Amino acid sequence: MAARAYWQGQIRLALVSIPVEIYSATKSGAKIRFNQIHEPSGKRISYEKVVPGIGPVDRDEIIKGYEVSKGNYVLLDEDEIEAVKIESKRTLELVQFVDACEIDPLYFEKPYYVAPQDELAEEAFIVLRESLRKAKKVALGQLSVRGSEKLVAIKPCGKGLLLETLRYADEVRAGQAFFDDIDEAKPRKELLDLANTLIDQKSAPFDASEFEDRYGRALRKLIDKKAKSKSKSAVIEDVDVPGSGDGSNVIDLMAALKQSVNEDKPKKSARRKKSA
């Protein structure tokens, strides 16, 4: 089945408009999701809307409220909320260009692929892609979709473009408050050298396929086994428990780093002895 476009419209740069289609770059079905089930009957649990002291209420008696203080809400009906929604535009205007390194990774939210809508759009699309690539810049704009407006960044991605939604400034916590109590002292040079050696030994190009969701794999295996067994009882798998060692929390950092470096050294192949 062909992927369904998340958004269709035009990217506009000054007087140039490029018809494009935007597709989600991630798959929601890759994660295992559970439903809550009533065990005796095997039926899915549904939830009633209940008010404390009153009991169940009808859906048409429910409106939205924003808590301004403990227990105090500003009430809004659907018409009021609809009135302030951003009109869904079919144009994404590129308003600024920045170096990719200027955007803190904390702001990146979700990736999307951007492709030209048809052959007529390809020439302008390729010009934009290659201009961004040559300038080593990322384009910024605001995409209006489904009543809200998203800050987005666009950059080259192979033969296409990658659009990433960004968090707004008020959605990101300042990290410094969490780091205030960390000692500012510099590490000893020999410790730093050993750590750098270990990093060098373990450095390699990134390849996502080299990593696997071991929990997800084990969970799918358990689900498959349970489905085939047709049993209502739980299937318990043996779990490897990491060794506890000597139970001490005190370690010799220097010794641990040296051991790590030595264990991670590539093994040399044994040389064959020349025959006499």
Side-chain angles (χ1 to χ4, degrees):
M1 182 184 294
R4 183 178 177 184
Y6 169 75
W7 186 85
Q8 290 179 312
Q10 296 181 331
I11 291 178
R12 188 166 66 195
L13 175 58
L15 299 178
V16 178
S17 294
I18 309 167
V20 298
E21 295 179 332
I22 297 176
Y23 298 89
S24 176
T26 58
K27 297 185 292 184
S28 59
K31 295 291 183 182
I32 294 174
R33 303 182 188 277
F34 292 106
N35 295 307
Q36 291 192 324
I37 305 299
H38 180 235
E39 187 176 8
S41 66
K43 294 182 179 180
R44 185 172 174 177
I45 293 173
S46 58
Y47 294 91
E48 286 185 310
K49 302 290 185 180
V50 177
V51 177
I54 297 177
V57 296
D58 293 333
R59 187 172 294 274
D60 59 6
E61 295 179 320
I62 300 172
I63 64 173
K64 293 180 179 178
Y66 178 83
E67 190 172 31
V68 291
S69 61
K70 188 66 175 178
N72 294 312
Y73 301 88
V74 171
L75 304 181
L76 301 168
D77 60 36
E78 290 299 328
D79 289 340
E80 290 174 313
I81 295 173
E82 285 293 326
V84 297
K85 280 187 176 180
I86 301 295
E87 182 183 352
S88 291
K89 298 177 182 176
R90 290 298 170 189
T91 300
L92 168 57
E93 187 164 358
L94 304 183
V95 296
Q96 187 180 349
F97 297 89
V98 301
D99 294 334
C101 61
E102 288 184 47
I103 305 176
D104 193 303
L106 284 169
Y107 288 93
F108 289 105
E109 195 172 38
K110 189 175 180 181
Y112 294 85
Y113 294 129
V114 183
Q117 204 169 89
D118 50 42
E119 289 185 6
L120 294 175
E122 279 190 16
E123 183 178 14
F125 183 91
I126 292 170
V127 169
L128 173 61
R129 182 194 70 200
E130 293 308 304
S131 296
L132 289 173
R133 184 167 279 146
K134 184 177 180 180
K136 297 181 180 179
K137 296 287 186 179
V138 172
L140 298 180
Q142 286 179 287
L143 180 70
S144 59
V145 59
R146 296 172 186 171
S148 64
E149 196 168 44
K150 298 179 181 294
L151 176 62
V152 300
I154 297 177
K155 60 186 176 183
C157 176
K159 293 166 63 177
L161 293 171
L162 184 71
L163 177 148
E164 293 176 276
T165 56
L166 302 176
R167 296 178 178 91
Y168 287 100
D170 60 359
E171 296 178 283
V172 177
R173 289 177 175 171
Q176 196 55 44
F178 302 99
F179 308 144
D180 282 343
D181 295 333
I182 298 175
D183 194 345
E184 293 184 6
K186 300 292 183 181
R188 287 162 28 209
K189 183 179 182 303
E190 55 268 33
L191 290 176
L192 201 57
D193 289 344
L194 282 168
N196 287 337
T197 299
L198 189 58
I199 289 171
D200 288 341
Q201 288 178 357
K202 290 182 175 290
S203 293
F206 175 69
D207 181 359
S209 64
E210 293 291 325
F211 299 87
E212 185 178 19
D213 180 2
R214 291 175 291 183
Y215 170 71
R217 181 185 63 180
L219 201 53
R220 289 187 185 279
K221 182 180 176 183
L222 177 62
I223 291 169
D224 291 343
K225 185 173 182 179
K226 188 67 180 286
K228 291 175 182 176
S229 71
K230 297 181 180 179
S231 168
K232 289 187 177 180
S233 59
V235 176
I236 305 299
E237 295 282 356
D238 292 333
V239 178
D240 293 330
V241 180
S244 58
D246 60 3
S248 173
N249 288 326
V250 181
I251 62 169
D252 182 339
L253 183 57
M254 178 71 77
L257 283 170
K258 284 181 177 178
Q259 184 177 345
S260 298
V261 168
N262 290 332
E263 286 181 356
D264 204 59
K265 283 182 179 177
K267 296 179 180 179
K268 296 180 180 179
S269 56
R271 295 180 180 176
R272 294 182 179 177
K273 292 182 180 180
K274 293 181 179 179
S275 55

